[in-house]
Amino acid sequence: MRGEGDVVAARTDYATRTSLNLHWLLRSRYEWMNQYIPPEAVGVDLGCGAGFSAHFIQCRELILTDYAWQSFLHVAGVDALCLPFRNASLDFIIVTNVLHHLPYPIRFFREARRVLKPRGHILIHEVHASLLLRLILRLMRHEGYSFGINPFQEDFICTQPDDPWAGNNALPRVLFQDWRRFSEHIPGWDVVLDEKCECLSFLNSGGVTAKTAYIPLPKILLLCVDMFDAAVAKLAPDLFALGRRIALCAK
């Protein structure tokens, strides 16, 4: 990998890249969210990274935020565990590959419930700690994973609290593997979508922020990759799926 964490370089690469691979991946990560976002909605993308959501989300106002400062952000220095938004002020919250960086995820859901309007949505794209993802993490030595966590315990540390960019890639799988347990410990949410996704589309994207080698593909082959990914994510998610889409609605 190269350019890890360099969101400025990632934005430049996206704007100048001639191949469709990365655009195809990002489109699949964000466009599904629009079905839960009314045209007049106001929402926030927490930990937006390079701000790619702005290219795909359709709404009246999308507020780009991150913990770090970048010139394209609307609000910087935002802590997902203590959100700087008024009660019941937002229609939706986007969190893309953010949850696995949070040391205390239960606190995020409490804050999200506070700032969302009734029937507002959290729209999540996260990693799925399949066998393939764990193998990739070991080979690339990028972040890590540990299943020995309890994200439902208030003070249990799930990843390094002093490093906002540290990640535990097993956290989403532990958090969402049993929805009954999730509802018992984190009440107030209806699960309206939960599906596994991504395999080759991510591996051959060239990287979202950190850049990797890839093979440029025409649209027809990208469509074939989509069909392959959908098949393996459905038939063998814990072996091959690298991502997960989740939509939660505030009761």
Side-chain angles (χ1 to χ4, degrees):
M1 292 187 298
R2 62 186 187 280
E4 185 178 352
D6 190 340
V7 298
V8 175
R11 286 168 66 86
T12 301
D13 176 78
Y14 180 77
T16 57
R17 188 187 294 193
T18 57
S19 69
L20 292 174
N21 296 43
L22 179 57
H23 174 86
W24 202 265
L25 174 73
L26 293 172
R27 181 182 61 83
S28 72
R29 286 190 176 184
Y30 289 110
E31 282 195 346
W32 67 268
M33 298 178 180
N34 286 317
Q35 64 187 301
Y36 304 103
I37 301 175
E40 292 302 309
V42 175
V44 60
D45 186 349
L46 296 178
C48 74
F52 292 131
S53 59
H55 295 282
F56 303 96
I57 299 301
Q58 301 170 6
C59 64
R60 179 162 65 88
E61 183 179 3
L62 176 63
I63 303 167
L64 299 179
T65 78
D66 209 319
Y67 189 79
W69 181 90
Q70 299 292 342
S71 60
F72 58 85
L73 296 175
H74 299 110
V75 186
V78 173
D79 182 352
L81 307 184
C82 185
L83 297 174
F85 302 105
R86 294 179 290 105
N87 294 354
S89 61
L90 299 174
D91 296 294
F92 67 92
I93 295 172
I94 293 172
V95 280
T96 302
N97 289 346
V98 169
L99 291 179
H100 72 270
H101 292 285
L102 301 182
Y104 309 104
I106 195 171
R107 301 182 190 180
F108 160 71
F109 288 101
R110 185 183 301 124
E111 277 290 275
R113 186 66 185 81
R114 177 183 66 81
V115 302
L116 280 174
K117 298 175 183 178
R119 309 312 296 173
H121 289 84
I122 303 179
L123 304 171
I124 300 167
H125 175 89
E126 259 299 343
V127 294
H128 179 63
S130 63
L131 181 64
L132 178 59
L133 180 70
R134 284 175 274 161
L135 176 61
I136 293 168
L137 292 171
R138 286 184 175 274
L139 290 174
M140 304 194 77
R141 300 178 182 178
H142 176 62
E143 297 181 359
Y145 62 89
S146 171
F147 288 93
I149 56 173
N150 183 1
F152 304 106
Q153 185 176 322
E154 178 76 24
D155 296 320
F156 193 99
I157 301 172
C158 296
T159 187
Q160 299 176 40
D162 57 345
D163 182 358
W165 289 271
N168 181 352
N169 286 263
L171 198 160
R173 184 164 172 178
V174 175
L175 191 62
F176 301 131
Q177 66 184 352
D178 183 342
W179 285 113
R180 180 177 297 180
R181 186 184 184 197
F182 180 92
S183 296
E184 288 175 354
H185 291 86
I186 308 177
W189 303 98
D190 287 327
V191 183
V192 294
L193 178 72
D194 177 15
E195 64 181 16
K196 312 299 192 308
C197 59
E198 292 188 11
C199 185
L200 294 183
S201 58
F202 173 61
L203 295 177
N204 195 43
S205 67
V208 178
T209 301
K211 298 305 169 185
T212 58
Y214 69 100
I215 301 171
L217 297 177
K219 185 176 180 179
I220 185 65
L221 289 182
L222 289 170
L223 287 169
C224 293
V225 168
D226 277 355
M227 290 188 288
F228 174 84
D229 283 5
V232 298
K234 182 177 182 179
L235 296 174
D238 292 341
L239 291 178
F240 298 113
L242 301 179
R244 191 168 186 170
R245 302 180 185 121
I246 294 172
L248 302 177
C249 182
K251 293 182 180 179

